[in-house]
Amino acid sequence: MHRECTIFDTLPDGRTVRRWRLRNDEGAEVCLIDLGAAIQRLAVPDRSGIVADVVLGFDSAAPYLEAPYFGAVVGRFANRIRNGRFELEGNAYQLALNDGPNSLHGGARGFDKQMWAGEWVETGDGPGVRFSLDSPDGDEGYPGAVTVSVTYVWTEDSRLIVDYAARSTRATPFNITQHSYFNLAGVVGSEGSVLDHELTIPASRYLPIDETLIPLAAAAPVQDSAFDFRTAKAVGRDLGSQHEQLALAGGFDHNWIIDGSGFRPVARLHDPASGRTLDIRSDLPGLQFYSGNFLDGTIAGKAGVHYGRRCALALETQYFPDSPNRPDFPDCTLRPGALFSSRTMFTFSC
Ligand code: GLA
């Protein structure tokens, strides 16, 4: 494994952003940056051995402060909280509203906008980088001082293991995810599209949403609907179908309730053209599949490529949206004395 830490860029306020690179003997590599603990580059071979970068991102640091979470770790609460409001242990909390009437992805300055402290680590699974962050009591309106770490391990067989750990001094909602946008063909300009990618999500139910993308009262079966990905299906196959839920989100932007529990498969993405496959496993209950509906070509990313609608998609492992207001959902409360510990693994093959 080849390892290298270099200066990626300097932010307008003078802060230095480092880039941590891990390249295995296959020539597959992952590059991580301190800003947002983000995956800046993830390059893997196709079936003829051609290595291409399969994630959206930037060649410089400042755009990460504005971008919609490209490659970043998202928290303290990934996804939406209705009206940015919740109650915990008898206290009411109001968060900043940064997505219509709701709070999205930790608020105005969530984990994705923070500078994390990186260090090399050796783990039983292989070498990696651990990013640590202190989120103070009251950060973005959330209770409790939280110390959080995200450890990325890159293996010789192109598995990216993402281990999350956190503790809090007071009870707080806690929901953390990795927000990479993937295009397994390598992101190929504004014509790039994930509509031909084949997606599998082992989930019998998903969470229908209201017009602000907050889950409705009840889950729905995927059976006989555009939301059934239990067997591999092209992302674009049912995207154009007349489904009220697709109209509300402008495509897929929903949470699937992954069948089973414990560390298990949550998604498989396959690009028939290149042969690249991504398998995702996680111990978290839900998966947000977002089909890149809000990308509109205005953002110019790496090598000046404009990121058009559906040029990439996100598969975010997480607790269910609006969990702090939903006693019927798995409890996402992190309490003092408890250790939050969770793993998501991205396996690349071809
Ligand atoms: C998540 C959300 C989407 C969108 C993106 C960022 O995937 O579910 O609605 O906010 O993040 O644009």
Side-chain angles (χ1 to χ4, degrees), residues 66 96 203 322 325 336 349:
E66 310 295 330
D322 201 30
N325 294 309
S349 58

Side-chain angles (χ1 to χ4, degrees), residues 263-281:
F263 191 65
R264 66 213 185 286
V266 300
R268 161 175 277 211
L269 186 64
H270 173 68
D271 172 34
S274 67
R276 293 190 188 93
T277 300
L278 164 60
D279 281 287
I280 307 180
R281 300 171 75 88

Side-chain angles (χ1 to χ4, degrees), residues 5 37-38 52-53 124 235-237 244 288 295-296 313:
C5 179
D53 187 2
V235 166
R237 197 183 86 184
E244 186 207 3
Q288 184 85 6
L295 298 173
D296 60 4
L313 57 80

Side-chain angles (χ1 to χ4, degrees), residues 68-69 79-80 99 104-105 179 181 213 253 288 290 294 314 316:
Y69 316 97
N79 217 313
R80 294 170 178 80
D99 189 61
L104 174 67
H105 290 338
H179 203 298
Y181 292 71
L213 279 60
D253 197 351
Q288 184 85 6
Y290 167 55
F294 299 133
E316 313 156 35

Side-chain angles (χ1 to χ4, degrees), residues 96-114:
L97 307 180
N98 61 337
D99 189 61
N102 302 320
S103 173
L104 174 67
H105 290 338
R109 227 175 138 257
F111 290 178
D112 61 295
K113 306 274 187 297
Q114 310 284 334

Side-chain angles (χ1 to χ4, degrees), residues 33-104:
I33 55 172
D34 302 330
L35 183 58
I39 298 172
Q40 187 265 338
R41 173 179 162 85
L42 212 169
V44 291
D46 69 2
R47 65 163 76 82
S48 47
I50 296 171
V51 173
D53 187 2
V54 297
V55 293
L56 302 194
F58 301 100
D59 295 320
S60 59
Y64 280 96
L65 296 173
E66 310 295 330
Y69 316 97
F70 284 180
V73 168
V74 168
R76 183 180 301 195
F77 189 91
N79 217 313
R80 294 170 178 80
I81 296 178
R82 183 192 290 274
N83 297 327
R85 205 176 294 152
F86 63 92
E87 275 182 34
L88 197 54
E89 301 192 322
N91 298 310
Y93 296 92
Q94 179 65 58
L95 311 168
L97 307 180
N98 61 337
D99 189 61
N102 302 320
S103 173
L104 174 67

Side-chain angles (χ1 to χ4, degrees), residues 143-162:
V146 172
T147 51
V148 48
S149 72
V150 179
T151 305
Y152 292 98
V153 169
W154 185 233
T155 68
E156 283 300 338
D157 55 356
S158 296
R159 282 178 296 135
L160 181 66
I161 299 168
V162 188

